Amino acid sequence: MDYSWFEGITNASSVQTCTPTGSIMSQSSYKMWGGRFSEKPHEALQSLNNSLPYDSRLYADDLDASKAYAEALHRAGHLNEAEADKLVKNLELLRFDWIEGSVKFLPGDEDVHTVNERLLVGITGELGQRLHTGRSRNDQVVTDMKLWLRKAIRETLGRLSRVIEAATRQAELHLGVLMPGYTHLQRAQTVQFSHWLLSHAFALREDAQRLVQLRDRSNVLPLGSGALAGNPLGIDRLWLAERLGFSGVTANSMHAVGDRDFVVDFIYCCSMVSLHLSRLAEDLIIYSTKEFDFIRLADGFSSGSSLMPQKRNPDSLELIRGMSGVITSNLTGIMMTIKGTPSTYNKDLQFDKEYCFHSFDKLSQVLDVTDGVLQTMHVKQESMEAALSTDMLATDWAYYLVKKGIPFRQAHHIIGRVVTEAENRGVDITDLPLGELQAFSPVFGSDIVQVADYSNNVQQYNAIGGTASSSVVEQLRLLNKFVKELRKQS
Ligand code: ARG
């Protein structure tokens, strides 16, 4: 995983300058707990337990939730106004220390919550020790995660909208360009290149819709659930929810502290996006081969071979395809982590962040590369149209007979025989003279010539969702509208 952003604030040899207060604080460690222990945690456990390498990216969410909680404590009468103000101001100041990279970790720091509390207590002394009143890291961490997730969803929606837009631009630019459409990777029917490309854009539109649904569904506040039993100190959770931009509060504290379904859902959403990108990448890999030669990747998104000078490899697309395995393994990972944990919070849940942040980071990378690939690829109209072959007209010929009153099953059979005859003779179906065609069915007329025109055929597929231009233009309209709406939200 990439922790490079994090370097400089880890493994600090110098200790944080702060005023030690009472026995919970020394120059080398700060403990949120420990009153009942006579020995320090073993070094091996300390190292396993340390989640800072990944959860420190929650620092801002942790500060935001703590500021709101300080205000809630004041509203409930546990802090006076000046005290709450002092906590809020100092929490805000800590944000700058994080941004500057001047926060140093101590060997005893367990997680981002410990660090923020230690720093606050270091500045405000006993007052800082009051912030955790009625709060547990159990409701704190799940609140932080939900605050983080909101931003992650917004960013992912932004990236998705850019990829969809890149696809619609290429589709608009190449309206009317024909290509073979495939099923089972066998030539099937003629389609518009734009129709094919937009098929991928629509999958991504559904992914975006899934993320929006998740954002709305998970936007309920867990803070105020305490360790598991709730909050006995008159904390106004509805006020807290509004203050932090949640649309409601969780209804059961035991459920709230043990719930990571929203994290699983997010990783599922990331997995689905990555699967869709992988399928698009696979199509593009095939289309960029010399055998197909439908598209050419820009130099910036291709790689060479260290041995074969002529090679032009689609590494960008292979990395996109390969990454779907990585992201989907995170989905399996978090499900396995949750499975079998008893009710409420268990430390296993700490690993949710590794899976979640990793999925988000990797998906962001592949979305950006996909965006670049789509924007810069060269669409080779001539090669696509040269790849069309008359066998792909067979279905349209069957429809021709249907329009002349032949039942479809019979029409299918008749054209099947026409195709075999042409194959046996080593010619195209369009090479068979009308007289011979009429031996297969007397309804063949001279107007069959029109059905030999690929672009004419494509325009017949004008039911909603088909490959006719009227339908493709409508698809573009829908996607452009969607991208605009998404832009407003992201
Ligand atoms: N770092 C922990 C996590 O991410 C915070 C919650 C710890 N709670 C506890 N009771 N130990 O899950």
Side-chain angles (χ1 to χ4, degrees):
M1 285 183 208
D2 178 16
Y3 295 136
S4 51
W5 63 275
F6 174 82
E7 271 164 23
I9 49 176
T10 48
N11 302 325
S13 51
S14 64
V15 290
Q16 179 68 31
T17 320
C18 51
T19 322
T21 58
S23 62
I24 60 164
M25 188 139 197
S26 74
Q27 283 291 87
S28 61
S29 71
Y30 174 87
K31 277 272 157 249
M32 284 186 146
W33 47 268
R36 77 181 298 291
F37 292 86
S38 48
E39 274 180 37
K40 290 197 313 187
H42 191 283
E43 259 177 38
L45 171 59
Q46 247 185 29
S47 144
L48 176 65
N49 192 19
N50 182 358
S51 55
L52 276 164
Y54 42 95
D55 74 6
S56 43
R57 73 194 281 175
L58 289 176
Y59 78 84
D61 309 293
D62 197 63
L63 294 173
D64 288 340
S66 286
K67 279 165 60 185
Y69 196 70
E71 290 171 30
L73 282 173
H74 163 53
R75 290 172 55 86
H78 299 289
L79 294 174
N80 65 36
E81 198 172 342
E83 288 172 330
D85 270 3
K86 191 169 177 184
L87 287 183
V88 168
K89 282 198 184 102
N90 282 293
L91 285 164
E92 195 46 44
L93 287 176
L94 288 182
R95 193 187 304 273
F96 296 104
D97 294 342
W98 281 100
I99 293 169
E100 276 174 6
S102 61
V103 171
K104 304 280 181 267
F105 298 157
L106 301 184
D109 287 336
E110 277 184 42
D111 51 27
V112 66
H113 324 292
T114 330
V115 173
N116 275 339
E117 185 171 319
R118 171 172 62 74
L119 296 173
L120 185 69
V121 172
I123 304 163
T124 62
E126 211 180 83
L127 176 60
Q129 291 176 24
R130 292 182 190 276
L131 178 63
H132 215 52
T133 308
R135 188 175 69 167
S136 156
R137 275 182 297 164
N138 298 356
D139 58 349
Q140 190 177 354
V141 69
V142 69
T143 304
D144 293 358
M145 279 298 276
K146 284 192 167 184
L147 290 173
W148 179 87
L149 190 73
R150 229 192 260 162
K151 292 182 285 184
I153 290 179
R154 197 177 60 228
E155 276 187 39
T156 309
L157 289 176
R159 286 196 167 86
L160 272 170
S161 74
R162 286 193 285 281
V163 173
I164 296 173
E165 198 175 11
T168 55
R169 283 231 183 97
Q170 286 282 18
E172 250 154 14
L173 222 60
H174 295 94
L175 259 180
V177 172
L178 305 182
M179 67 182 276
Y182 300 86
T183 63
H184 311 265
L185 204 52
Q186 304 291 322
R187 290 151 172 272
Q189 288 181 284
T190 315
V191 293
Q192 294 204 38
F193 162 80
S194 307
H195 191 55
W196 161 77
L197 187 52
L198 295 185
S199 71
H200 290 284
F202 277 102
L204 297 175
R205 181 177 77 155
E206 286 194 18
D207 291 329
Q209 288 165 335
R210 227 187 310 277
L211 279 163
V212 170
Q213 285 163 358
L214 168 61
R215 186 184 60 192
D216 295 345
R217 181 158 36 83
S218 63
N219 199 31
V220 285
L221 175 81
L223 194 58
S225 298
L228 79 164
N231 185 299
L233 299 171
I235 289 294
D236 184 347
R237 297 190 64 215
L238 292 173
W239 177 86
L240 255 182
E242 215 181 307
R243 167 78 174 69
L244 288 168
F246 286 93
S247 53
V249 295
T250 51
N252 179 306
S253 58
M254 293 178 80
H255 172 243
V257 295
D259 175 33
R260 293 297 181 277
D261 292 0
F262 64 98
V263 181
V264 180
D265 281 348
F266 178 65
I267 302 174
Y268 171 71
C269 288
C270 292
S271 303
M272 289 305 287
V273 178
S274 76
L275 294 187
H276 292 141
L277 296 182
S278 174
R279 295 189 73 189
L280 167 64
E282 173 64 4
D283 271 358
L284 289 172
I285 288 169
I286 294 168
Y287 294 170
S288 68
T289 57
K290 273 275 169 286
E291 286 72 12
F292 276 76
D293 204 27
F294 291 177
I295 59 139
R296 183 182 164 90
L297 290 185
D299 281 1
F301 291 98
S302 311
S303 315
S305 155
S306 56
L307 192 148
M308 298 163 283
Q310 87 286 7
K311 283 301 284 296
R312 197 181 163 76
N313 295 330
D315 289 24
S316 52
L317 298 167
E318 290 162 3
L319 290 166
I320 293 168
R321 189 178 58 189
M323 192 60 83
S324 63
V326 174
I327 295 175
T328 310
S329 75
N330 285 336
L331 180 61
T332 318
I334 189 158
M335 286 168 83
M336 289 307 102
T337 297
I338 289 174
K339 177 188 91 65
T341 50
S343 292
T344 81
Y345 182 80
N346 301 271
K347 202 57 177 269
D348 321 38
L349 298 183
Q350 176 158 286
F351 292 117
D352 66 342
K353 286 169 259 343
E354 281 194 76
Y355 295 123
C356 186
F357 298 158
H358 190 236
S359 303
F360 169 74
D361 291 341
K362 293 298 154 193
L363 185 67
S364 301
Q365 283 185 324
V366 289
L367 279 168
D368 289 346
V369 173
T370 309
D371 182 23
V373 166
L374 289 179
Q375 280 196 44
T376 57
M377 73 183 185
H378 174 58
V379 177
K380 302 179 94 173
Q381 174 170 8
E382 271 179 27
S383 315
M384 285 189 197
E385 294 184 349
L388 298 172
S389 52
T390 56
D391 53 317
M392 299 173 63
L393 296 172
T395 313
D396 299 299
W397 279 33
Y399 289 146
Y400 166 87
L401 296 182
V402 164
K403 284 180 189 158
K404 304 248 170 188
I406 311 274
F408 180 74
R409 249 324 123 231
Q410 282 180 36
H412 185 281
H413 189 73
I414 293 166
I415 302 298
R417 285 172 50 223
V418 171
V419 169
T420 311
E421 176 65 19
E423 249 175 34
N424 290 344
R425 287 214 231 151
V427 297
D428 286 349
I429 53 172
T430 45
D431 292 334
L432 296 173
L434 182 59
E436 286 185 32
L437 289 176
Q438 283 169 340
F440 290 98
S441 168
V443 305
F444 272 111
S446 57
D447 53 353
I448 187 66
V449 196
Q450 287 162 23
V451 194
D453 179 329
Y454 297 108
S455 70
N456 200 24
N457 284 340
V458 159
Q459 298 308 335
Q460 311 298 309
Y461 292 79
N462 57 6
I464 297 171
T467 196
S469 291
S470 57
S471 157
V472 177
V473 166
E474 172 60 8
Q475 295 175 41
L476 280 168
R477 192 189 65 77
L478 288 174
L479 287 169
N480 286 332
K481 184 167 161 252
F482 183 72
V483 165
K484 247 192 214 153
E485 281 163 11
L486 214 53
R487 280 281 156 84
K488 276 190 225 145
Q489 300 186 36
S490 55

